[in-house]
């Protein structure tokens, strides 16, 4: 896929022209996200040299030890957006409460939700990691510092996306008009269009789940994964297993090649592990814009109205046919079909 030399900024401006009402602030905000992730990409590429590996000794709101790169990435968002005038409130996986940038709240129209560094367990072993972001309009009036402001369904996102720090650094975003990928050209420090209007295949050949959780999986999850492993060439089975352990990496492969990523609820963690506001909802926006699907097993991710800032949600995301099949197992429909067919 050759770049057309179109920079992220130019693409966003082209997108913005499609929305006469756009004021350019969203374009500037997205370009600022590009700046943040370029700074993070530089730190990631030199982590071992810049003495930025390892842990801070702190534990975050999720009870997870905070890596120094988590902290560095989080602080980079605060530094870049602190005086941008664009964003009134930052909601981060690494901050228990929303951070109001009060000097921005007089004119800043947006709230930025983000997972500053996703896949932290991969940092110290030079594995692929990422950043995930989600942008909402602030509600009008003086409700901007109330829960109502933050607990918005993903369907209200204005834009969302992620950056994957792998062999190359790629930024994928959607503003509701398709999903588009940009590869960072480090020689000029620009993200250049490399994946225009990404379309996920209707069905894939891989499934991505942490098989180590098998002992606590619900029977419906076991049935679904066992189904994918059965030998049946006519239905394209068995699927291959792929699991990087970083949501952004497993999602990016699924988005480009098809298949399904699952972090389901299980008997130990009924809501699974991934967070709705800054992991599941932004990726659900991207995958739906690419023609795929994202659900919790019982409902569409983008329809879920959060009740807690850091709430977790089970996540089945990827090709529409694969997600539909997984949901039919999750709701027991498939099992009943199975049993009915066995009786005939
Ligand atoms: P984070 O590093 O932001 O906390 O996210 C880690 C998440 C996600 O990236 C990945 O899909 C999942 O944790 C992996 O969890 P397991 O190690 O339990 O498989
Ligand atoms: Mn994460
Ligand atoms: Mn994280």
């Amino acid at each position: 896929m050759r770049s057309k030399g179109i920079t992220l900024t130019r693409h966003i401006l082209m997108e913005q022209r499609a929305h006469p009402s756009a004021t350019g602030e969203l374009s500037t905000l997205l370009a600022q996200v590009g700046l943040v992730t370029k700074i993070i990409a530089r730190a990631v590429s030199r982590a071992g040299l810049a003495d930025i590996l390892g842990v801070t000794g702190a534990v975050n709101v999720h009870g997870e030890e905070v890596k120094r790169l988590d902290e560095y990435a989080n602080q980079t968002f605060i530094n870049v957006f602190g005086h941008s005038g664009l964003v009134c409130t930052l909601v981060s996986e690494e901050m228990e409460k929303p951070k109001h940038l009060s000097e921005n709240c007089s004119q800043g129209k947006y709230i930025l939700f983000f997972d500053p560094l996703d896949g932290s367990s991969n940092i110290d072993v030079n594995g692929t990691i990422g950043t995930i972001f989600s942008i909402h309009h602030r509600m009008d009036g003086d409700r901007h510092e109330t829960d109502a402001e933050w607990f918005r369904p993903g369907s209200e996102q204005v834009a969302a996306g992620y950056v994957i720090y792998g062999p190359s650094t790629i930024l994928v975003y959607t503003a509701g008009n398709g999903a588009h990928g940009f590869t960072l050209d480090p020689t000029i420090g620009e993200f250049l269009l490399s994946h225009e209007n990404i379309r996920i295949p209707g069905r894939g050949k891989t499934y991505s789940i942490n098989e180590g959780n098998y002992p606590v999986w619900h029977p419906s999850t076991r049935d679904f994964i066992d189904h994918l492993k059965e030998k049946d060439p006519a239905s394209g089975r068995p699927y291959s297993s792929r699991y990087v352990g970083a949501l952004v990496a497993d999602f990016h492969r699924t988005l480009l090649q098809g298949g399904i990523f699952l972090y389901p609820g299980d008997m130990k963690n009924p809501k699974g592990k991934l967070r709705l506001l800054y992991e599941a909802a932004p990726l659900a926006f991207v995958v739906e814009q690419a023609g795929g699907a994202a659900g919790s097993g019982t409902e569409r991710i983008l329809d879920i109205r959060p009740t807690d800032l850091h709430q977790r949600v089970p996540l089945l995301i990827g090709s529409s046919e694969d997600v539909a099949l997984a949901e039919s197992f999750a709701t027991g429909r498939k099992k009943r079909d199975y049993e009915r067919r066995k009786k005939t």
Side-chain angles (χ1 to χ4, degrees), residues 2-14:
R2 285 182 52 72
S3 158
K4 300 179 172 64
I6 297 175
T7 63
L8 172 64
T9 308
R10 189 172 141 212
H11 190 272
I12 296 167
L13 289 171
M14 286 161 30

Side-chain angles (χ1 to χ4, degrees), residues 212-262:
N213 293 329
Y214 189 90
V216 293
W217 282 351
H218 292 308
S220 61
T221 303
R222 292 185 183 178
D223 288 348
F224 175 60
I225 299 301
D226 291 348
H227 171 78
L228 294 184
K229 290 178 176 176
E230 280 170 0
K231 189 171 169 47
D232 177 27
S235 65
R237 290 182 288 150
Y239 277 36
S240 292
S241 169
R242 291 286 184 277
Y243 196 71
V244 176
L247 171 60
V248 168
D250 286 315
F251 175 73
H252 188 65
R253 180 199 56 251
T254 305
L255 181 69
L256 296 188
Q257 298 181 344
I260 184 166
F261 170 89
L262 309 92

Side-chain angles (χ1 to χ4, degrees), residues 64 70 93-94 115-120 130-132 245-248 273-275 278-279:
E64 297 156 343
D70 284 321
E93 178 197 54
E94 298 304 337
D115 176 358
L117 209 81
D118 173 67
S120 303
T131 295
I132 309 171
L247 171 60
V248 168
K273 175 179 183 183
L274 302 174
R275 278 61 51 128
Y278 40 77
E279 289 178 312

Side-chain angles (χ1 to χ4, degrees), residues 26-183:
L26 178 63
S27 313
T28 309
L29 202 175
L30 280 164
Q32 296 276 67
V33 170
L35 170 62
V36 169
T37 55
K38 278 189 256 185
I39 294 169
I40 295 171
R42 186 188 59 183
V44 164
S45 67
R46 303 168 56 249
L49 303 171
D51 185 26
I52 202 167
L53 294 177
V55 294
T56 61
V59 169
N60 65 16
V61 64
H62 316 279
E64 297 156 343
E65 60 175 8
V66 178
K67 302 273 184 165
R68 295 170 71 186
L69 214 45
D70 284 321
E71 186 53 44
Y72 176 86
N74 193 63
Q75 192 55 49
T76 304
F77 271 91
I78 296 171
N79 296 345
V80 170
F81 284 97
H83 309 289
S84 67
L86 294 163
V87 171
C88 171
T89 304
L90 297 176
V91 174
S92 166
E93 178 197 54
E94 298 304 337
M95 299 190 290
E96 186 170 0
K97 299 218 177 310
K99 184 175 185 61
H100 297 300
L101 306 169
S102 41
E103 63 277 25
N104 292 351
C105 283
S106 54
Q107 82 270 26
K109 284 185 184 165
Y110 299 99
I111 301 179
L112 179 61
F113 299 77
F114 56 97
D115 176 358
L117 209 81
D118 173 67
S120 303
S121 57
N122 281 358
I123 293 173
D124 294 357
V125 295
N126 198 34
T128 301
I129 49 184
T131 295
I132 309 171
F133 60 91
S134 166
I135 300 165
H136 278 271
H137 269 305
R138 278 176 55 202
M139 290 181 172
D140 48 20
D142 58 0
R143 287 181 296 168
H144 68 274
E145 298 201 13
T146 63
D147 290 359
E149 186 77 284
W150 314 312
F151 300 155
R152 317 274 281 285
S155 55
E156 291 180 11
Q157 291 176 95
V158 179
Y162 62 91
V163 175
I164 179 169
Y165 309 105
S168 55
T169 295
I170 296 178
L171 181 148
V172 174
Y173 91 97
T174 181
N177 186 25
H180 312 282
F182 299 78
T183 300

